[in-house]
Amino acid sequence: MPKQNRVTPFGEIIATPERGTFMGNRGLLHDDGGKIIRPWKVTRWLVCVLEFRGRKRTVMTPGNYTELFFLDEATALAAGHRPCAECQRARFKSFCDAWGTANPGDGNAARPSAKVIDECLHAERIASGDSKRTFMASLDELPDGVFVTVPAWGDQAYLIWGDRLLAWAPGGYGERRRQPKGEQVKVLTPPSTVATIRAGYVPEIHRSAVALS
């Protein structure tokens, strides 16, 4: 049976046999039997690489943080995570620089601290009852790399990619639909992260998106 440690663009943690291309964490979420008992523990939600300095971990070890996995970085950002300052140092700095450009009121320095970003993201991603906080926007105003749902199409998560919307699935992107211009959509990616992407930060996208382009 696959472990429940894969994250969707909605921020949900599901069990699926497909492997992700990034790891991350939100603190200790599982009990000693490997069952997820909470959606988050800390406000520091990270996106990490799968390999770093030869470190080895046993996934979901009792008492240790819960290793989470993502299809790609765009999925992790939509769920409310941000690059790790240790294993993704260069990406973290790029994210902070774009964040500072896009969100000038969120810190006193040009490059905001991880704490400032984490506090802002936590307010943007969590609604009452630990549900995901979203917002409405015109599809025409959103950059590539952002996740949305189109109310007229149901609850499927789509990645904005060029002039298309790519349907997310645990194993990669599938259905490719032309963007309905001017459509009001529900945005899954937190607003400050959307602004950061618009300011120049480019999320890493799963190879299946390129195959469809």
Side-chain angles (χ1 to χ4, degrees):
M1 289 291 291
K3 296 182 183 296
Q4 186 184 354
N5 57 11
R6 187 70 176 275
V7 181
T8 76
F10 297 94
E12 299 167 338
I13 305 172
I14 64 172
T16 179
E18 286 88 354
R19 297 174 63 87
T21 62
F22 283 87
M23 193 189 82
N25 81 85
R26 307 173 183 174
L28 175 58
L29 312 182
H30 63 280
D31 62 17
D32 288 351
K35 179 182 178 181
I36 297 294
I37 57 175
R38 59 178 69 91
W40 59 274
K41 177 68 172 179
V42 299
T43 58
R44 185 180 65 254
W45 293 22
L46 304 180
V47 189
C48 301
V49 293
L50 296 180
E51 297 183 11
F52 183 64
R53 295 181 179 175
R55 296 178 186 176
K56 304 293 183 181
R57 296 185 60 86
T58 300
V59 175
M60 299 180 88
T61 298
N64 288 344
Y65 75 75
T66 305
E67 297 87 352
L68 301 173
F69 297 91
F70 312 91
L71 173 67
D72 56 14
E73 187 186 21
T75 301
L77 295 180
H81 293 244
R82 53 92 175 160
C84 174
E86 182 184 14
C87 68
Q88 295 211 84
R89 189 65 181 173
R91 296 286 290 172
F92 172 71
K93 289 180 178 179
S94 295
F95 188 84
C96 289
D97 288 343
W99 180 290
T101 298
N103 306 284
D106 291 332
N108 295 322
R111 179 181 289 166
S113 68
K115 185 175 185 294
V116 166
I117 292 174
D118 291 339
E119 289 178 351
C120 181
L121 279 177
H122 198 63
E124 292 181 349
R125 66 193 170 212
I126 300 293
S128 60
D130 283 332
S131 61
K132 182 171 178 59
R133 188 182 299 278
T134 60
F135 67 99
M136 300 297 294
S138 172
L139 188 56
D140 298 348
E141 300 172 355
L142 299 170
D144 285 3
V146 168
F147 270 94
V148 301
T149 65
V150 181
W153 298 352
D155 294 328
Q156 170 67 49
Y158 290 93
L159 174 74
I160 299 175
W161 192 247
D163 64 349
R164 306 290 175 170
L165 296 179
L166 308 184
W168 183 93
Y173 296 100
E175 180 187 23
R176 184 172 181 263
R177 304 182 70 166
R178 186 176 296 278
Q179 288 191 31
K181 296 298 182 181
E183 187 82 7
Q184 286 291 306
V185 294
K186 182 184 292 185
V187 186
L188 305 181
T189 308
S192 58
T193 301
V194 172
T196 299
I197 295 171
R198 188 181 291 116
Y201 185 80
V202 181
E204 294 194 24
I205 307 298
H206 189 263
R207 61 182 180 274
S208 58
V210 178
L212 291 169
S213 59

